[in-house]
Amino acid sequence: LNTSRQNPELGPVSIRQLRRIFGRKNLLTDPADCWPYGYDNSRRQALPQAVVFASDAEQVKALVELCNRDRINLIARGRGTGTTGATVPDRGGIVLSFERMDRILEINPDDRLAVVQPGVTNEALQNAVGEAGFFWPPDPTSAAVCTVGGNLAYNSAGPRAVKYGTPRENTLGLKAVTGAGRAIQTGVRTTKGVVGYDLTRLLIGSEGTLAIITEATLKLTPLPEARRTLQAVYQDMQAAATAVAAVMAQPVIPCALEFIDGAAIDLVRDYAGLDLPAEAGAMLMIEVDGPADGVDALAERIARAAEVEGAIAIHLAADAGEVQRLWKARKALSPALRKVAPKKINEDVAVPVSRMPEFIDRLQELGRRHQITIVNFGHAGNGNIHVNLLVNPDDPEEMRRAEACLDGVFDLVLQLGGTLSGEHGVGLEKRDYVDREITTETLALMRAIKHQFDPNGILNPGKGFPP
Amino acid sequence: LNTSRQNPELGPVSIRQLRRIFGRKNLLTDPADCWPYGYDNSRRQALPQAVVFASDAEQVKALVELCNRDRINLIARGRGTGTTGATVPDRGGIVLSFERMDRILEINPDDRLAVVQPGVTNEALQNAVGEAGFFWPPDPTSAAVCTVGGNLAYNSAGPRAVKYGTPRENTLGLKAVTGAGRAIQTGVRTTKGVVGYDLTRLLIGSEGTLAIITEATLKLTPLPEARRTLQAVYQDMQAAATAVAAVMAQPVIPCALEFIDGAAIDLVRDYAGLDLPAEAGAMLMIEVDGPADGVDALAERIARAAEVEGAIAIHLAADAGEVQRLWKARKALSPALRKVAPKKINEDVAVPVSRMPEFIDRLQELGRRHQITIVNFGHAGNGNIHVNLLVNPDDPEEMRRAEACLDGVFDLVLQLGGTLSGEHGVGLEKRDYVDREITTETLALMRAIKHQFDPNGILNPGKGFPP
């Protein structure tokens, strides 16, 4: 899988061919121009030899054919909001940016679908389908900037996944070009379809290592009429985790079930309007949606389920302003953490919901043992926990302790039946840990599949799997 | 993919090894004993050379190793309720029955999951998880008999799929043995997970051609508190199809949206309590579920959406007895059709919901042109239409016309953006048509993937793909 070596310089012939395919305006080769396409949100960076901007699938196909023939690494890229280095060209090669291939080709309310090019941003899509009364459920925090192509490449989700699922549950079909330069078409335009193997889901989450998606048919969901937001405060994380399990065991599924632990609360306590009691050791933010005339009853149900031992206060947001303040506090967490610990290690593990109390307990134990401050928040309804190790990377001794702690975190996650990544993916960051989760035989099969799509290993080499 | 030839007789050595793996009680070799394991609900039949009953994954692995070494065809089988011949050993070989590997290994309400062996019936699973307040959404008509392993092999759905999805949306992970005899493990125990490629969905719907599933971790959904059933009668199928589109375009998603066309109504008109006006040209059965104190409001919403031009009567079932009578009529359709035309051709195409009116129109046109009576019913919310061609197979001239008609039906489906199978699968029945829907390049990739899982082509050879 990771046999590709560092790419040599692109020769003048290759450059000429790139110019022929993309035109002068859609090709960057000057390193100063290329640098901005060499990083993502992982703080990793590497210089691509060239950056090209596709505007249609034909160009993508011609590019893959060229790269395949000349063994040039090819890294597809949306807007670079990933957190794992998956779009960083660490072995050199050509970065294919989709920012200019961003059209919405069709919005079909009757069939509840939209057909888009991969470069459309999540937000632009939501705005367009919103006018027709629909939304596309995946809602990563970076929705304003990130592209649908990127969402598909990582199977990026967000808070709404607890009710509405991830891209894998919300995509009907794809057009793509494999690493061998073959244009393929997967899936259907209907919500059922069982002809042939499910290549749609195989491509989703494959981080650009199998094929390059050139078009997606997305399943749309009608916008709910109304939404209610609850803030539930608990003595400690154990009580909050118990409440999460209780909420998830009753029939009303919330459309968001976010949690913030005590350490995280301390970080955002000062945000205007959060108004948290001093003894708050954990907080849940719960949203429920439904018909205008029924949503209050649903919210009441959820409030009752969340009322477990150790609950301090459960509060229904009175108006839109209050909802906004609540979410502001939740969204302030990442920047606040960045301020306190600019180079924090941010993991996104998931454990079965019932194991969350134990996980949080043992996390704190690990933090104490390795003298690392750990702050947790995340999508509790999926057991998807963003574990933040607050470290100073200029302190090598602390970094060693953090490494050991992280190692313990991953072992703990797997021991509890969890997964190393709920939604951020593997990329470069976690590839060395993948073989702890996936067995040797299963990994061998994944590599064999990769080889069928991309026999020369040109697509995003070195990502997603142990080297 | 279909390179396996007719299997030779099993030699005494192979028989001895089978006996060693399974024990005398779990091995059939007498043709009289084997025949019942040679057919499904497609009316096709072929004699397997042996039938074995597995009770654990180790036996399955040993069996695959034996078959792989000796190039013996191996056909996994649940209860043989499939309609496409996918479990019929038409090239001979060993049938592996899962009927004795039917344990529910875990029911975990807090994590909303169940772990099962493939031989458990859908109904046994529903009963067991129902006691904990949950259900598993896939609900094929044959739920009382069919196995979860079979549901996974075909991605079998049913009426509830319109709201709750198919097995692909309701399965978290699998254990399986590939055709090469490798035990693999796919997926996670959480509702999010993005480490490695999605092999779970690749196996689901692959009709036993890639690997043999030995264990499944299923995602459970809380049982809704209440349900309401509506019967909506229309002048013609066009009006009913318009109502379907209107229902699907508003935010309350029904948990069943079934339709019956005029010809089908005539067949079941006499069923007690159906009470249909003479001018009824189409009928919808709509179910909605939700919280006890909100479900009536939801049903009202749906009734309003279904009230389109051409609606004759929309009627909310008053009590459980009436609901039962309504469903009885719907369920009586298949047997009634079988009585009228014992060898009817039953297809299960799907078209985008918005194209249903046109599809039904042009179907009738095709029927007239080829002088074939066509009766339609199915899962309208998914555009999944069971097209029944009433034919007499003893009339070769009529069968020729039916073939030509079917050909036209498939072309029409694809022209309208549909798929040749919504839920029944391909098996032997539709394999010759697959290349009309899936492009050559995409098919080549599927075959290449198959080869990685099953290099010697021993698993269910000849199924699912054009020979």
Side-chain angles (χ1 to χ4, degrees):
Chain A
L1 208 57
N2 298 310
T3 52
S4 258
R5 64 292 89 190
Q6 188 71 34
N7 248 135
E9 287 301 300
L10 282 179
V13 178
S14 301
I15 299 282
R16 212 157 42 234
Q17 280 165 323
L18 289 177
R19 203 175 295 136
R20 193 174 314 132
I21 299 171
F22 292 96
R24 196 174 293 273
K25 277 191 191 158
N26 293 307
L27 169 66
L28 306 177
T29 52
D30 184 322
D33 297 333
C34 289
W35 268 118
Y37 293 89
Y39 60 88
D40 66 358
N41 194 16
S42 70
R43 284 188 302 263
R44 289 172 184 260
Q45 191 165 19
L47 180 67
Q49 269 100 46
V51 177
V52 293
F53 302 90
S55 55
D56 63 42
E58 290 309 304
Q59 289 180 332
V60 174
K61 191 164 185 300
L63 174 65
V64 178
E65 282 166 352
L66 169 66
C67 290
N68 199 40
R69 204 193 56 213
D70 295 354
R71 305 290 190 273
I72 303 168
N73 296 337
L74 179 55
I75 298 98
R77 186 183 196 273
R79 296 290 186 115
T81 57
T83 61
T84 65
T87 60
V88 175
D90 64 319
R91 301 181 181 196
I94 297 172
V95 164
L96 165 60
S97 170
F98 276 103
E99 63 190 85
R100 299 180 191 170
M101 191 164 155
D102 63 350
R103 280 189 303 141
I104 296 172
L105 303 171
E106 179 185 353
I107 295 176
N108 188 325
D110 286 349
D111 296 330
R112 291 187 169 193
L113 63 83
V115 182
V116 303
Q117 291 185 328
V120 67
T121 63
N122 186 296
E123 187 172 85
L125 170 70
Q126 306 294 0
N127 289 342
V129 302
E131 279 174 34
F134 290 86
F135 71 108
W136 189 55
D139 59 339
T141 309
S142 55
V145 189
C146 67
T147 65
V148 169
N151 299 165
L152 297 171
Y154 296 112
N155 196 37
S156 313
R160 283 195 298 233
V162 63
K163 178 166 182 179
Y164 295 107
T166 70
R168 284 192 180 124
E169 287 81 31
N170 290 285
T171 306
L172 299 175
L174 299 172
K175 289 186 181 170
V177 179
T178 69
R182 305 250 155 75
I184 60 168
Q185 192 161 352
T186 77
V188 285
R189 278 175 68 93
T190 51
T191 46
K192 278 183 182 174
V194 289
V195 177
Y197 298 144
D198 186 349
L199 302 188
T200 306
R201 270 71 171 239
L202 188 63
L203 292 190
I204 296 175
S206 66
E207 303 191 351
T209 62
L210 296 177
I212 294 180
I213 295 169
T214 56
E215 189 181 298
T217 301
L218 307 174
K219 181 181 167 192
L220 302 179
T221 301
L223 279 167
E225 279 180 352
R227 188 180 291 145
R228 293 291 178 270
T229 305
L230 297 154
Q231 180 198 43
V233 179
Y234 299 87
Q235 279 169 4
D236 51 36
M237 197 52 223
Q238 269 52 44
T242 307
V244 168
V247 168
M248 291 305 290
Q250 53 83 51
V252 182
I253 304 182
C255 61
L257 178 43
E258 300 288 292
F259 87 97
I260 301 181
D261 77 359
I265 285 178
D266 290 340
L267 280 172
V268 291
R269 188 179 285 281
D270 300 337
Y271 267 78
L274 199 54
D275 193 23
L276 286 170
E279 68 269 33
M283 183 178 103
L284 297 181
M285 284 188 55
I286 318 175
E287 280 201 348
V288 58
D289 60 16
D293 53 5
V295 75
D296 286 317
L298 300 179
E300 249 171 65
R301 297 270 182 137
I302 291 210
R304 275 203 299 279
E307 185 88 50
V308 298
E309 212 189 303
I312 297 173
I314 295 172
H315 170 72
L316 179 72
D319 54 36
E322 199 178 347
V323 170
Q324 222 179 351
R325 279 196 300 279
L326 284 172
W327 277 107
K328 212 172 151 188
R330 163 68 181 81
K331 283 182 179 163
L333 251 176
S334 272
L337 274 169
R338 230 171 228 263
K339 212 170 130 196
V340 177
K343 307 222 166 151
K344 67 184 169 82
I345 299 172
N346 171 19
E347 292 304 333
D348 101 300
V349 300
V351 296
V353 169
S354 71
R355 311 307 292 271
M356 276 182 58
E358 185 180 351
F359 179 66
I360 296 289
D361 241 6
R362 291 175 63 186
L363 260 189
Q364 297 310 337
E365 216 178 281
L366 277 169
R368 276 192 300 275
R369 191 189 317 152
H370 298 284
Q371 296 166 268
I372 299 288
T373 305
I374 299 180
V375 176
N376 300 300
F377 61 96
H379 314 302
N382 300 106
N384 188 190
I385 298 161
H386 296 303
V387 178
N388 293 273
L389 280 61
L390 308 193
V391 291
N392 171 11
D394 299 331
D395 179 346
E397 201 272 326
E398 185 175 77
M399 287 307 284
R400 266 192 300 277
R401 281 185 281 115
E403 283 297 313
C405 182
L406 198 60
D407 212 75
V409 171
F410 288 153
D411 279 346
L412 176 58
V413 165
L414 295 175
Q415 202 183 315
L416 296 177
T419 177
L420 300 181
S421 180
E423 57 183 10
H424 291 177
V426 174
L428 294 169
E429 291 289 338
K430 279 185 184 171
R431 63 178 181 180
D432 294 339
Y433 301 99
V434 167
D435 55 6
R436 294 197 198 178
E437 176 167 342
I438 302 181
T439 66
T440 310
E441 305 239 290
T442 312
L443 264 179
L445 195 57
M446 290 180 182
R447 289 179 204 272
I449 291 171
K450 155 82 176 174
H451 194 69
Q452 303 313 305
F453 279 85
D454 181 22
N456 293 314
I458 57 162
L459 290 189
N460 215 5
K463 311 295 171 58
F465 291 92
Chain B
L1 212 55
N2 299 311
T3 52
S4 258
R5 62 292 91 190
Q6 188 74 31
N7 247 137
E9 287 300 300
L10 282 179
V13 178
S14 302
I15 300 281
R16 212 157 44 233
Q17 281 166 322
L18 288 177
R19 202 177 294 133
R20 193 177 314 133
I21 299 171
F22 292 96
R24 194 175 296 274
K25 277 190 191 161
N26 294 306
L27 168 66
L28 307 177
T29 52
D30 186 320
D33 297 333
C34 289
W35 267 119
Y37 293 89
Y39 61 86
D40 66 0
N41 194 17
S42 70
R43 281 184 306 260
R44 289 171 184 261
Q45 192 164 22
L47 180 67
Q49 269 101 49
V51 177
V52 293
F53 302 89
S55 56
D56 63 41
E58 290 309 305
Q59 288 180 332
V60 174
K61 191 166 185 300
L63 173 65
V64 178
E65 282 165 352
L66 168 67
C67 290
N68 199 41
R69 202 193 56 213
D70 295 353
R71 305 288 191 275
I72 302 167
N73 296 337
L74 178 55
I75 298 96
R77 187 181 194 274
R79 296 290 187 115
T81 57
T83 60
T84 66
T87 59
V88 175
D90 64 320
R91 300 179 183 199
I94 297 172
V95 164
L96 165 60
S97 171
F98 277 102
E99 64 190 85
R100 297 179 194 173
M101 190 164 156
D102 63 350
R103 281 189 304 140
I104 296 173
L105 304 171
E106 179 186 354
I107 294 176
N108 189 326
D110 285 350
D111 296 330
R112 292 187 167 189
L113 63 83
V115 182
V116 303
Q117 291 185 328
V120 66
T121 64
N122 185 297
E123 187 172 85
L125 170 71
Q126 307 293 1
N127 289 342
V129 301
E131 279 175 33
F134 290 87
F135 71 108
W136 188 54
D139 58 338
T141 310
S142 54
V145 190
C146 66
T147 66
V148 170
N151 299 166
L152 296 171
Y154 296 111
N155 196 38
S156 311
R160 285 197 295 234
V162 63
K163 178 167 182 178
Y164 295 106
T166 71
R168 286 193 177 124
E169 286 81 33
N170 291 285
T171 306
L172 299 175
L174 300 171
K175 288 185 182 172
V177 178
T178 69
R182 306 249 154 76
I184 60 168
Q185 191 162 352
T186 77
V188 284
R189 277 174 69 91
T190 51
T191 45
K192 279 184 183 174
V194 287
V195 177
Y197 299 144
D198 187 349
L199 301 187
T200 307
R201 270 69 171 241
L202 187 64
L203 292 190
I204 296 175
S206 66
E207 302 190 353
T209 62
L210 296 177
I212 294 179
I213 294 168
T214 56
E215 189 182 299
T217 302
L218 307 174
K219 182 182 167 191
L220 302 179
T221 300
L223 280 167
E225 280 179 353
R227 190 179 291 143
R228 294 290 178 273
T229 305
L230 297 154
Q231 181 198 46
V233 179
Y234 299 87
Q235 279 169 5
D236 51 36
M237 197 50 221
Q238 268 52 44
T242 306
V244 168
V247 168
M248 291 305 289
Q250 54 83 51
V252 182
I253 304 181
C255 63
L257 177 44
E258 301 287 293
F259 87 96
I260 300 180
D261 77 359
I265 287 178
D266 290 340
L267 280 171
V268 291
R269 189 179 284 280
D270 299 337
Y271 267 78
L274 198 56
D275 193 22
L276 285 170
E279 69 271 33
M283 182 178 102
L284 297 181
M285 285 189 53
I286 318 176
E287 280 202 348
V288 58
D289 60 16
D293 52 6
V295 74
D296 287 317
L298 300 180
E300 250 171 66
R301 296 269 182 136
I302 290 207
R304 274 203 299 278
E307 184 87 50
V308 299
E309 211 186 304
I312 296 173
I314 295 172
H315 170 71
L316 179 71
D319 54 35
E322 199 178 347
V323 170
Q324 222 178 351
R325 280 196 300 278
L326 283 173
W327 277 106
K328 211 171 152 186
R330 163 69 180 80
K331 284 181 179 161
L333 250 175
S334 273
L337 273 169
R338 231 171 229 265
K339 212 170 132 196
V340 178
K343 307 218 167 157
K344 68 184 167 79
I345 298 173
N346 171 19
E347 292 303 333
D348 99 299
V349 299
V351 295
V353 169
S354 70
R355 313 306 294 269
M356 277 181 57
E358 185 180 351
F359 179 66
I360 297 289
D361 241 8
R362 292 175 61 185
L363 261 188
Q364 298 311 341
E365 214 178 282
L366 278 168
R368 276 193 300 274
R369 191 188 320 152
H370 298 285
Q371 296 166 268
I372 299 289
T373 304
I374 299 180
V375 176
N376 300 299
F377 62 96
H379 315 301
N382 300 105
N384 188 190
I385 299 160
H386 296 303
V387 178
N388 293 273
L389 280 60
L390 307 194
V391 291
N392 171 11
D394 299 331
D395 179 345
E397 201 273 324
E398 183 173 78
M399 287 308 283
R400 265 193 301 276
R401 280 186 283 115
E403 283 297 315
C405 182
L406 198 59
D407 212 75
V409 171
F410 289 153
D411 279 345
L412 175 58
V413 165
L414 295 176
Q415 200 184 317
L416 296 177
T419 176
L420 299 180
S421 179
E423 58 183 11
H424 290 178
V426 174
L428 293 169
E429 290 289 338
K430 279 186 185 170
R431 62 178 182 182
D432 294 339
Y433 300 100
V434 166
D435 56 5
R436 293 197 200 180
E437 176 168 341
I438 302 182
T439 66
T440 310
E441 304 240 291
T442 312
L443 264 179
L445 196 58
M446 291 179 180
R447 288 180 205 270
I449 291 171
K450 155 85 174 171
H451 193 69
Q452 302 313 305
F453 279 84
D454 180 22
N456 293 314
I458 58 164
L459 289 189
N460 214 4
K463 310 294 171 57
F465 291 91

